[in-house]
Amino acid sequence: MNQENKWIIDNLRLEFKQMQADRLVKIESERALEEKIGVGRQRIREVINQLIEEGLLIKYEGKGTYIAPYIKSQYVNLLCSPTIKSNDPFYNRLLMELTCYSAKNCINLVPLTLENISNGTSDFPLLMIGRLEEADLKKIKSIFSMVISFENYPEHDDFIQIYFDHFKIGLNAAKVLSAHGHRRVIHITGPDKYASACYRRNGFIRGARKQGMEFSIITEKMNFEGGYRAGEEVIKLIGDGNYTAVFAANDWMAIGMIQALKAKGVNVPQDVSVLSVDNIPLASQIAPNLTTYSLDANMMIAEVFSLMDRISDDSRYSVDKRIILRPILITRDTLQKI
């Protein structure tokens, strides 16, 4: 690191730490920092990236850069549902970011399973990742005073829930495709046992009907292979029914489908547009780059820890609060107007 970068980092670090609060605080734009400090945009980006690596800043694609909330909770219990698949892109990213965030902020994660849940420390919050059965929820609530879920449980209002509204993702996907002129569309979805896929599909159906669109549903496994198999059906529908766009339940399905289309000489987006969900790293690396909704795991984690600290500071704070996060549509190359 050169001396000029070190000087800028030291000064911005001090400034941002003075602004740090128990919730996310947005910093100035790169252009504003460039003008204030009197250096080039590239230098500003290098400095911001360094402070992101340190954990002081968090960058949300499509929204800006924020100062991470300060953390008081030093111990947090962590419970993952046994139904989570090891190759699920969203949960993998959530667990990875949670581990990194905790390490940077000196938070001790105490991993638990349903079998040893009673060994958890009830004085510390419990984070739940993945869908759990009613009997397990009842036991958990009897042990821990603060329970926070990364899933939506519509029938419960006695613990904190922070989640992306998957129904609205599907609803919005239909609206976006309609705005691009697509009137006949395909949705490739996952099995009903996956709540996110089910909600996205139901939202998409509602949205497609509202927009007066014709649609066809293909159900497959939510991975590359499932998407590739769905691609063969998509090719038939494109040829027989003049379908012009596909909404995929997640990026891996979309990428698998795109590869199947390429193998048969069908071009994206010239022959068919593609819209997806998750914004995995590969989405911006394949050709064409994938248009997708970003479900920012960092945003969820920062919101959770800032919420825990606010509750610990104020006993009047309602612990049945729901935080519904809005995904960001990342527009790239696979979606075009017709």
Side-chain angles (χ1 to χ4, degrees), residues 28-254:
E28 299 170 276
S29 68
E30 290 180 358
R31 180 180 293 277
L33 289 172
E34 181 183 353
E35 293 174 355
K36 181 169 75 174
I37 299 172
V39 297
R41 183 69 58 89
Q42 183 59 36
R43 182 68 54 82
I44 291 295
R45 287 177 177 169
E46 289 172 1
V47 168
I48 287 175
N49 287 336
Q50 175 62 35
L51 294 175
I52 290 172
E53 285 295 317
E54 293 178 13
L56 179 59
L57 299 181
I58 301 173
K59 188 171 185 177
Y60 300 141
E61 191 167 5
K63 292 194 70 174
T65 305
Y66 293 75
I67 302 170
Y70 58 74
I71 304 298
K72 300 193 194 82
S73 303
Q74 297 302 307
Y75 289 88
V76 176
N77 300 289
L78 176 65
L79 175 66
C80 294
S81 167
T83 63
I84 293 177
K85 286 197 165 189
S86 60
N87 60 353
D88 184 288
F90 176 72
Y91 289 121
N92 275 341
R93 191 165 66 253
L94 179 60
L95 284 167
M96 180 186 70
E97 297 295 350
L98 179 59
T99 303
C100 292
Y101 190 90
S102 300
K104 290 175 180 177
N105 290 280
C106 300
I107 300 164
N108 294 294
L109 288 178
V110 182
L112 300 173
T113 65
L114 290 173
E115 289 70 30
N116 70 359
I117 192 73
S118 300
N119 296 339
T121 305
S122 59
D123 293 339
F124 302 132
L126 173 72
L127 298 184
M128 299 190 306
I129 297 180
R131 195 80 181 172
L132 294 164
E133 300 293 333
E134 285 296 320
D136 297 322
L137 285 176
K138 185 176 180 181
K139 184 177 181 180
I140 288 164
K141 290 188 290 183
S142 71
I143 298 172
F144 299 94
S145 57
M146 186 189 298
V147 177
I148 302 175
S149 170
F150 288 105
E151 294 287 335
N152 175 23
Y153 292 87
E155 65 280 9
H156 290 273
D157 59 4
D158 52 354
F159 56 88
I160 300 164
Q161 299 169 46
I162 178 167
Y163 56 91
F164 288 96
D165 191 327
H166 297 287
F167 183 88
K168 285 188 177 179
I169 290 173
L171 197 69
N172 185 259
K175 184 178 179 179
V176 168
L177 292 177
S178 177
H180 281 73
H182 299 284
R183 310 308 304 162
R184 306 201 76 195
V185 296
I186 303 164
H187 177 39
I188 58 173
T189 184
D192 283 347
K193 63 181 179 179
Y194 299 117
S196 60
C198 188
Y199 284 128
R200 290 171 194 173
R201 183 192 65 221
N202 292 343
F204 180 78
I205 290 172
R206 173 79 65 84
R209 287 173 175 165
K210 184 177 179 179
Q211 299 295 330
M213 303 160 71
E214 294 183 49
F215 61 90
S216 184
I217 306 292
I218 300 172
T219 303
E220 262 295 352
K221 289 186 176 181
M222 296 181 70
N223 54 26
F224 180 93
E225 290 79 9
Y228 197 94
R229 284 192 297 270
E232 298 176 1
E233 301 238 5
V234 168
I235 291 168
K236 293 177 185 176
L237 288 169
I238 293 171
D240 297 339
N242 295 320
Y243 287 85
T244 60
V246 176
F247 170 51
N250 69 17
D251 288 349
W252 278 117
M253 294 186 87

Side-chain angles (χ1 to χ4, degrees), residues 61 89 93 223-224 250-259 262 276-292 330 332-334:
E61 191 167 5
R93 191 165 66 253
N223 54 26
F224 180 93
N250 69 17
D251 288 349
W252 278 117
M253 294 186 87
I255 291 168
M257 182 202 68
I258 289 171
Q259 296 309 308
K262 281 184 178 179
S276 184
V277 184
D278 272 339
N279 195 31
I280 63 174
L282 189 58
S284 62
Q285 298 165 6
I286 63 166
N289 295 168
L290 186 59
T291 296
T292 182
I330 308 298
R332 299 193 180 105
D333 300 334
T334 60

Side-chain angles (χ1 to χ4, degrees), residues 10-22 25 36 56-57 67-68 70:
D10 289 344
N11 280 272
L12 285 181
R13 185 188 294 113
L14 179 61
E15 178 182 338
F16 293 153
K17 283 189 174 181
Q18 290 173 343
M19 296 168 60
Q20 199 168 26
D22 62 356
V25 176
K36 181 169 75 174
L56 179 59
L57 299 181
I67 302 170
Y70 58 74

